[in-house]
Amino acid sequence: MILQKRTGGFSLWCLTLLLYSFLGGEVFGLAQDSDVAQQNLKSSLSEMGYVEVHLEGCKVSFSRLVQPSQRNGGLHRYDRVIKLGTLNFDGEIDVRSTEAGGKTYYYFIAPPNEALSDLHHDAEVFRQWVNVKFPGVNWPDYFPAQHDFRTEAVEQFLHDQFPNFAKLNLWANFTKFGRSSLATIDFRMYSESKPKLERFKTALQAYSRQFEC
């Protein structure tokens, strides 16, 4: 009777150990995949010259330090924040090229998630309002070289009239005229190096899938 109890207890212990080993191994594998996805994304951004890379689930942020000049409006840094949940990575995203200033630049565009149409509408309303109130500003295509005394006012109106802008993908420029936040429904990334941009795009897509964004 005692042997029977011990045998039953041993069998239960073996089953528990087996399940723990299987499930524990699976969890470990998922954690390992997550670590790889994060490391690949961080290294791809570092390779492109970005600093202060932070990954917080479906939110990815990074910065670039810039040499200020008269030509760029005193731009000394810019920050970018990607909200992966606002984007659609289901289709094929191609890397394309464009010419500017005698140089070739490569870029890709991650399209918006149509489920966020309300935010898209709010962004368009604000864009139209700014372009009437401040002719020539052309928000969100408000480049640092165009910054002037209106920059601070546009930034304040953005926070007052479109407070949900922070839910979209952000690009914040810091010039001698202060901060200028741009909110976009899609995400665009540019680089002079096609291989580096390809690596970043692949890493970003893999990271988004891993975290089910």
Side-chain angles (χ1 to χ4, degrees), residues 9-24:
F10 180 74
S11 299
L12 180 60
W13 179 81
C14 286
L15 178 61
T16 302
L17 181 62
L18 181 64
L19 288 172
Y20 177 81
S21 299
F22 176 75
L23 295 175

Side-chain angles (χ1 to χ4, degrees), residues 49-65:
Y50 291 98
V51 297
E52 298 178 19
V53 178
H54 300 289
L55 309 180
E56 304 173 49
C58 294
K59 175 183 174 182
V60 177
S61 60
F62 49 94
S63 304
R64 184 189 289 279
L65 304 180

Side-chain angles (χ1 to χ4, degrees), residues 33-48 53 55 57 60 82 84 89 95 108 187 195-211 213:
D33 290 343
S34 175
D35 290 344
V36 170
Q38 293 184 60
Q39 185 55 46
N40 287 343
L41 183 54
K42 284 183 176 181
S43 62
S44 69
L45 283 165
S46 296
E47 185 181 29
M48 295 173 71
V53 178
L55 309 180
V60 177
I82 315 173
L84 294 172
F89 287 107
V95 170
F108 71 82
F187 170 73
K196 290 181 181 180
L197 187 63
E198 289 275 12
R199 280 193 288 274
F200 167 70
K201 179 178 74 74
T202 300
L204 185 66
Q205 290 175 297
Y207 177 88
S208 183
R209 286 193 300 269
Q210 184 64 40
F211 283 86
C213 299

Side-chain angles (χ1 to χ4, degrees), residues 152-165:
E152 186 177 356
V154 173
E155 182 73 9
Q156 186 59 54
F157 277 118
L158 174 65
H159 287 265
D160 293 343
Q161 297 196 19
F162 184 23
N164 285 333
F165 81 93

Side-chain angles (χ1 to χ4, degrees), residues 64-78 142-148 151 173-178 180:
R64 184 189 289 279
L65 304 180
V66 181
Q67 182 64 41
S69 68
Q70 190 68 30
R71 187 175 180 181
N72 66 15
L75 177 70
H76 56 88
R77 73 174 282 155
Y78 63 82
Y142 187 31
F143 301 111
Q146 301 170 318
H147 288 192
D148 55 24
T151 301
N173 290 312
F174 297 86
T175 69
K176 62 183 180 181
F177 297 102
S180 174

